[in-house]
Amino acid sequence: ALKIDESVTPKRTGMDPVEWQAYAAAYAVLRKIDTTVAQGERAQFPRDFDGLKKLSTPARRQMATADLEADVRVAVTSVFPNGTGAGEGPHCLIGNADILKKLMATTAGTRGTSGWRHDCRSRQVVYHYMGLPYYRTDFPTAAGKSNVFAANLGPTGLNLGYAYGGAESFGLVVDRLPFIEATASASYLVHGAFALLLWEPEAMFEIFDVAV
């Protein structure tokens, strides 16, 4: 941002070029994190962290059948991390919009505790399947098939770890770079360091090759 523009505009408003550019960069980072959670591989360059698919183990995944409701029952009953000592169940389902549409069309998806509800964790209105919030993510659909995960998000479950910032900033940090005299401009770097952590394998279960 040009120094003169930064100086004459109200701070912390949409007119401040530093403010809106920092927000734009932050949202771009968050979208990158969302995609990486779904399909990241640590070996990729630029360096990603391992996503859901890479964290899933053969013992904690099962191929889909023709009955999606039965498959989801298997997934949710297979989530039982130690938690704080007594063991915990699943907190959510995770998948893409294609599987969400299929779940909404099932018998269990059209009645009872299924439907659009306010979710206290994300503070958004999301679809709940049999009481469990369904978190949409950027997991790919290939050849008409995709995957759905049941997960526990507790202290020994599936967590997104970060090295900088705080919970309020989603682990993001904004640093001011040295002033560039030649262009009379100020630059800011929006960054963070993240990893998807699965503390106990029992905290997640995957149903793969779901026909959508």
Side-chain angles (χ1 to χ4, degrees), residues 29-206:
V29 173
L30 292 176
R31 289 186 64 88
K32 172 63 175 176
I33 292 172
D34 181 61
T35 298
T36 308
V37 165
Q39 50 187 294
E41 295 187 18
R42 188 168 42 186
Q44 292 177 339
F45 185 84
R47 185 60 60 88
D48 283 340
F49 54 80
D50 285 343
L52 296 172
K53 183 70 174 177
K54 296 290 289 186
L55 292 178
S56 179
T57 62
R60 310 296 305 161
R61 59 199 306 260
Q62 176 177 300
M63 181 178 286
T65 67
D67 188 343
L68 181 57
E69 289 182 286
D71 292 338
V72 172
R73 284 198 298 272
V74 169
V76 298
T77 54
S78 299
V79 173
F80 48 88
N82 185 58
T84 54
E88 296 181 304
H91 290 147
C92 65
L93 297 170
I94 307 171
N96 66 17
D98 292 330
I99 290 184
L100 174 59
K101 287 185 287 187
K102 189 166 183 178
L103 276 177
M104 292 176 68
T106 63
T107 301
T110 58
R111 63 179 65 176
T113 53
S114 297
W116 296 94
R117 310 271 192 277
H118 180 267
D119 174 46
C120 61
R121 180 173 283 103
S122 66
R123 300 179 184 176
Q124 297 178 343
V125 175
V126 301
Y127 180 80
H128 286 61
Y129 178 78
M130 297 181 63
L132 288 175
Y134 185 97
Y135 295 142
R136 280 181 282 187
T137 192
D138 195 15
F139 200 90
T141 293
K145 295 182 178 180
S146 191
N147 301 18
V148 62
F149 302 81
N152 175 283
L153 307 177
T156 63
L158 182 70
N159 301 154
L160 181 67
Y162 52 86
Y164 309 105
E168 312 81 30
S169 67
F170 302 102
L172 295 175
V173 179
V174 180
D175 288 333
R176 181 165 183 163
L177 301 180
F179 178 70
I180 305 173
E181 295 184 3
T183 57
S185 62
S187 299
Y188 292 79
L189 178 67
V190 179
H191 65 98
F194 306 88
L196 190 62
L197 309 170
L198 184 64
W199 296 108
E200 292 190 82
E202 295 85 5
M204 188 172 72
F205 196 89
E206 175 190 7

